[in-house]
Amino acid sequence: MLLLKNADVYTPAAIGRADILMAGGRIVMVGPDIEVPARLCERVDASGLVAAPGFIDGHVHLAGGGGEGGFATRTPELALSDAVRGGITTVVGCLGTDGATRSPAGLLAKARALDEEGLSTFVLTGHYAVPVQTLTGSIERDLLLIDKVVGVGEVAISDHRSTQPTFEQFVRVAAEARRGGMLSGKAGVVNVHVGDGPRGLSMLRRAVEETEIPATQFWPTHINRNPALFDEGQAWAKAGGFVDFTTSTVPAFLDAGEVRCGAGLRRMLEAGVDASRVTFTSDGQGSLPDYDAAGELRGLRVGRVTSLAASVRDAVLVEGVPLATALLAVTANPARILKLRGKGALGAGADADLVLLDPAGLEIDGVIAKGRWLMKGREIVVRGTFE
Ligand code: ZN
């Protein structure tokens, strides 16, 4: 058992000072003045620290991605300590552009490895391409038969790298995901990679207008990648859809019009978008171009999952979004959209996944995943197998 005393608790709603008792990988009780005999539990004074649900990163190239500049540009797999450094206790893995040398089976194996190392992990089946490459022959069977599969993605549209799916092919994916999700009790959500192309979200709007599939079956990502798509995303979110912002970026992208996640969240809230509609994901382990001051391509970098926490900090400390609201984008919202039971909440019955933050700078001070310390007092205490 583990007892945290006197933390400033966000469930993610702010509930003030409380103790948190954990046992068997679950949160048993949250409230004032919890006492347990010392011989039965580890007791840690968390006064002066914020306690929040462990962060959920819903779009990470766990098994590596990239490769768009040739074989040497394939990115490496995610290391456990990167996730821990970013306060992430749950990751959802996906494949990207490359579905030939990267496979759903390899992704699933990597997700299982990170699970053994201490995180909670899930995967999306498929990659950029339509028809979707699956593990068992169909999206429906993957959702029904493989516990870790919670949806499909990232399916690419409005992008020169997509397989240019027709409308019929695209809605077929959503229909199969919807049915598989219903039958398995999972989200069956379709994570849609939206490129810079002028077609933007038109395929999604058409799906909602011309079929019975609801807007909430789709979870479009990279919505902050350019101003036009951001505006389209805002309208989509106001109409009840979900929008996902990508937190890993480079200065050149921001200079070219990409909307910083913190500012994007503030702007959407000001425009009347419900806070429950917006998520942040890192796109971690994807490849990013690295330009020098003169704008010359110097090489490639890897998107970091730590950008997720940095964007929460940015939203609160720079943009003035309340912490409880900013936390929604990396806790309760992805948990609800992906139907991750026991995740994204800090309360009795939830999984014992917590992040401790210093209240001034929101730097990560501690990480508990499945009831086990992965970072304590700013020191990483559990590393990946080969770290
Ligand atoms: Zn993408």
Side-chain angles (χ1 to χ4, degrees):
M1 281 199 275
L2 172 60
L3 178 61
L4 295 185
K5 296 292 291 181
N6 298 311
D8 184 12
V9 176
Y10 286 72
T11 67
I15 64 163
R17 190 164 289 248
D19 300 343
I20 305 162
L21 179 65
M22 291 162 263
R26 294 278 173 86
I27 296 171
V28 178
M29 190 187 286
V30 179
D33 305 320
I34 301 173
E35 288 304 337
V36 175
R39 64 193 158 79
L40 292 181
C41 79
E42 179 191 358
R43 181 191 162 104
V44 174
D45 181 16
S47 51
L49 292 173
V50 165
F55 296 167
I56 299 167
D57 194 340
H59 184 110
V60 182
H61 300 285
L62 296 183
E68 292 165 8
F71 292 109
T73 67
R74 298 167 90 253
T75 62
E77 295 190 348
L78 178 69
L80 176 67
S81 60
D82 274 3
V84 175
R85 232 173 252 119
I88 295 158
T89 55
T90 299
V91 282
V92 181
C94 59
L95 297 176
T97 323
D98 181 0
T101 75
R102 312 275 192 185
S103 71
L107 176 65
L108 182 61
K110 176 63 183 179
R112 292 205 193 286
L114 286 166
D115 204 318
E116 288 181 8
E117 290 178 338
L119 302 180
S120 295
T121 61
F122 300 91
V123 298
L124 303 175
T125 192
H127 68 117
Y128 264 35
V130 178
V132 170
Q133 181 189 346
T134 62
L135 281 148
T136 62
S138 80
I139 292 167
E140 198 169 337
R141 288 171 63 90
D142 278 10
L143 280 159
L144 275 160
L145 302 177
I146 300 167
D147 290 351
K148 285 198 181 295
V149 176
V150 293
V152 184
E154 56 176 317
V155 173
I157 61 167
S158 306
D159 196 305
H160 62 97
R161 295 164 294 179
S162 81
T163 52
Q164 308 300 332
T166 63
F167 174 69
E168 285 70 23
Q169 286 175 317
F170 180 71
V171 291
R172 178 71 189 261
V173 170
E176 280 186 43
R178 179 169 181 78
R179 206 170 50 244
M182 291 173 72
L183 292 170
S184 61
K186 295 176 180 172
V189 76
V190 184
N191 186 216
V192 184
H193 159 107
V194 189
D196 276 315
R199 287 177 290 177
L201 294 174
S202 57
M203 195 90 94
L204 275 66
R205 284 193 298 272
R206 200 176 153 198
V208 173
E209 282 160 16
E210 296 182 25
T211 76
E212 294 75 22
I213 298 166
T216 48
Q217 203 68 38
F218 302 98
W219 188 30
T221 187
H222 314 318
I223 290 300
N224 56 320
R225 73 185 307 151
N226 67 54
L229 184 59
F230 182 85
D231 290 345
E232 265 192 89
Q234 186 165 293
W236 172 258
K238 276 180 124 170
F242 303 125
V243 287
D244 183 49
F245 298 169
T246 299
T247 61
S248 65
T249 188
V250 290
F253 286 178
L254 295 167
D255 290 347
E258 184 176 300
V259 181
R260 208 176 259 284
C261 291
L265 176 60
R266 174 185 55 73
R267 283 173 52 188
M268 283 214 185
L269 294 171
E270 284 171 0
V273 169
D274 192 286
S276 68
R277 304 286 104 182
V278 182
T279 57
F280 290 176
T281 62
S282 72
D283 204 9
Q285 303 305 115
S287 62
L288 290 168
D290 182 21
Y291 300 100
D292 65 16
E296 289 292 314
L297 185 68
R298 190 159 49 185
L300 288 162
R301 289 202 293 192
V302 176
R304 302 295 300 273
V305 292
T306 47
S307 62
L308 193 75
S311 293
V312 171
R313 271 197 294 280
D314 193 54
V316 176
L317 302 177
V318 179
E319 303 296 334
V321 176
L323 178 58
T325 307
L327 285 172
L328 289 172
V330 296
T331 60
N333 292 352
R336 196 183 59 257
I337 292 165
L338 294 163
K339 280 197 185 177
L340 306 180
R341 288 172 197 86
K343 302 299 183 190
L346 200 169
D351 292 349
D353 296 339
L354 269 78
V355 58
L356 299 174
L357 307 155
D358 90 85
L362 299 180
E363 296 293 337
I364 292 160
D365 188 277
V367 178
I368 298 165
K370 296 190 268 196
R372 175 181 178 222
W373 288 102
L374 300 185
M375 179 195 278
K376 194 174 184 184
R378 300 205 177 197
E379 295 289 328
I380 289 181
V381 292
V382 176
R383 291 187 181 274
T385 313
F386 298 104
E387 293 190 271

